[in-house]
Amino acid sequence: MTETQFTPRVFSGIQPSGGLTLGNYLGAMKRFVTMQDEGSFETIYCMVDLHAITARLVPADELRHNTRELCAGFIAAGIDPEKSILFNQSQVPEHAQLAWIFNCVARMGWMGRMTQWKDKAGKNAEAASLGLFAYPALMAADILVYHATHVPVGEDQKQHLELTRDIAAKFNHDYEVEFFPVTEPVIEGAATRVMNLQDGTKKMSKSDPSDKTRINLTDDADAIAKKIRKAKTDPDPLPEAVAGLEGRPDARNLVNIYAALADITPQAVLDQHAGALFGHFKMALADLAVDKLAPISTEMSRLMAAPAEIDRILGRGAERAREITVPILQQTYDIVGMLRS
Ligand code: TRP
C-alpha cells in the first residue's frame, strides 16, 4: 500500500484523568503544537473521555471538570482550535462504533499480551472492566476512524500502536481491501521524559502524594519557582559534556527540563552553564520555567472561569471531526456488509 493515498494526518489523545503536569506539557502538548504549526499535517487532538472510565467509573462532575481542564490546558499550551481539530471523544460517536468492529477483528490473545492491560489489571483481572481489556481496540478506532498516518505518543504506548497496525492489516487482509493505513508511530525518546523533582530516577507523576515532586500546569509563578529551587540536586558543579551527567539523575533531569523549555539540546545548556553550581543554575531554570509556564497557568484559569466557552469550542471541534469520521465509518460498514437504507 502506498502511503501517498492518505492525507498526512496526525491524531493523538490524552486521557482527561485530572492533574496536568510539566511532563504532559514537555512530553506531549509542546510537540502537538509544533506539529500543528509546522503545517505539513492536518492535526487532530482528542480528550479521550471514553478511555477515562475504563479503570474506574469516575464521578460525573469530576470527569466533566477534568475534560474541561484538559481542553483549557491544550489551548493554553498553544493548540489553536481553528488550526487543529480539538474535541472530546464521546461527542464523536464513530469512535465507539468503529471500536465495535475492531473488537471483532482483534483476537483475545493479542489483547491479553498488552503490557498496560497486565499492569493495570494486576493479579485480579477478574475484577477489571471489559472496557479496560478492550481499551487498545478503542484506541485503534480513535486513530483509524481518521485514517491518521502519524501518531505522536510516549514510549509506553508503542505496543498499542503496533496493535493498531495489526488491526488495520487484519481488516485489510480479511476483507481484501486497502482501506486502513498502516499508521506510523512518532515516539518521543526517553531523553525528554520529565522526572520527579525529588527523585530523578522516577517519572514525574500527577499521582505522587507529594506536590513538591512535580510542576502542575496550574501552578502559579511563585509555586513554580519554589519547586525548582527546592528540587533535589547534588553538590557537584554542572559538567562540560552530557557524559558528565551519567549517574546523576537529578542533575540530568534539571538540565533536560531546561533544554526542553528553551528548545535547545542538553549539550547547549551545558555549554552555557558548565562549572556553575546548582544553586545558581536553579535560579536560571526557575526564571526560564516561570517565563514559559506562568502564562499557561494564567490562560488555563481564565478559560476554566468560562466553561461555556470551552464547551462551545469542543462542540465545534466535534462537528469538524465528524466531517471526517462519518464517511469513513460508512465506508467501513459498507465493506463489512452492514445494510444502509
Ligand atoms: N492510550 C493513550 C495514553 O494513555 C491515550 C490515547 C487514547 C491515545 N487514544 C489514543 C493516544 C489515540 C494516541 C492515539 O496515553
Side-chain angles (χ1 to χ4, degrees):
M1 183 182 339
T2 55
E3 278 187 33
T4 43
Q5 74 187 94
F6 295 102
T7 312
R9 194 173 271 161
V10 163
F11 180 94
S12 197
I14 300 184
Q15 286 197 47
S17 46
L20 289 171
T21 69
L22 181 62
N24 298 109
Y25 176 63
L26 293 179
M29 289 176 160
K30 196 160 171 283
R31 202 154 46 120
F32 294 176
V33 174
T34 307
M35 293 180 123
Q36 163 192 272
D37 293 342
E38 249 172 27
S40 33
F41 297 101
E42 263 179 57
T43 44
I44 306 171
Y45 300 121
C46 181
M47 281 126 263
V48 291
D49 49 8
L50 297 173
H51 280 111
I53 60 167
T54 54
R56 73 182 169 107
L57 293 173
V58 179
D61 284 339
E62 190 181 320
L63 183 58
R64 274 188 281 268
H65 175 269
N66 290 345
T67 304
R68 290 193 181 114
E69 190 173 79
L70 178 55
C71 181
F74 268 120
I75 294 170
I79 297 300
D80 176 344
E82 297 298 319
K83 284 194 204 161
S84 294
I85 299 180
L86 185 66
F87 69 103
N88 62 306
Q89 189 185 28
S90 60
Q91 285 203 72
V92 179
E94 292 72 28
H95 288 238
Q97 290 176 288
L98 185 60
W100 180 260
I101 304 289
F102 287 173
N103 284 344
C104 302
V105 173
R107 308 287 95 186
M108 294 286 283
W110 302 0
M111 309 304 276
R113 282 192 286 278
M114 294 293 113
T115 56
Q116 186 168 300
W117 153 254
K118 290 193 261 183
D119 291 347
K120 285 199 185 172
K123 290 203 175 62
N124 198 4
E126 293 280 311
S129 76
L130 187 54
L132 187 67
F133 191 65
Y135 180 119
L138 176 59
M139 179 164 164
D142 294 339
I143 296 165
L144 294 174
V145 80
Y146 297 91
H147 282 180
T149 55
H150 294 77
V151 181
V153 281
E155 187 75 31
D156 63 330
Q157 295 300 310
K158 208 171 159 180
Q159 198 187 26
H160 288 162
L161 287 190
E162 280 158 13
L163 183 94
T164 301
R165 294 160 69 98
D166 290 344
I167 289 176
K170 182 168 167 59
F171 181 97
N172 288 343
H173 174 268
D174 288 3
Y175 288 107
E176 297 177 35
V177 290
E178 293 200 346
F179 184 62
F180 288 116
V182 175
T183 301
E184 286 302 322
V186 188
I187 307 275
E188 187 70 8
T192 53
R193 194 194 281 173
V194 180
M195 309 305 280
N196 181 307
L197 295 178
Q198 298 297 326
D199 177 355
T201 64
K202 289 200 262 175
K203 205 171 150 184
M204 182 179 284
S205 161
K206 60 163 194 242
S207 49
D208 192 288
S210 165
D211 196 54
K212 283 190 304 202
T213 63
R214 63 178 158 264
I215 293 174
N216 307 298
L217 287 190
T218 49
D219 285 344
D220 64 14
D222 278 353
I224 295 167
K226 195 184 261 167
K227 286 176 181 177
I228 288 175
R229 283 201 308 271
K230 297 209 164 152
K232 188 164 166 237
T233 43
D234 59 42
D236 295 335
L238 273 88
E240 280 179 10
V242 175
L245 293 168
E246 203 64 49
R248 300 172 67 188
D250 301 300
R252 173 194 298 257
N253 187 33
L254 295 187
V255 170
N256 282 347
I257 291 174
Y258 192 109
L261 285 172
D263 265 322
I264 58 178
T265 63
Q267 184 55 52
V269 178
L270 297 179
D271 292 344
Q272 291 167 17
H273 296 272
L277 291 172
F278 270 94
H280 184 81
F281 179 68
K282 285 201 278 188
M283 306 270 255
L285 176 57
D287 285 348
L288 175 65
V290 166
D291 196 49
K292 300 279 180 183
L293 302 175
I296 296 181
S297 87
T298 307
E299 174 67 357
M300 278 181 77
S301 8
R302 184 192 72 77
L303 283 162
M304 285 306 279
E309 185 182 337
I310 294 180
D311 294 357
R312 191 186 48 73
I313 290 169
L314 290 175
R316 174 76 191 116
E319 268 175 35
R320 290 176 60 205
R322 297 196 74 203
E323 287 169 18
I324 302 174
T325 61
V326 168
I328 289 180
L329 184 77
Q330 191 55 66
Q331 291 170 63
T332 308
Y333 275 2
D334 289 344
I335 290 168
V336 173
M338 303 292 179
L339 282 178
R340 57 161 137 174
S341 47

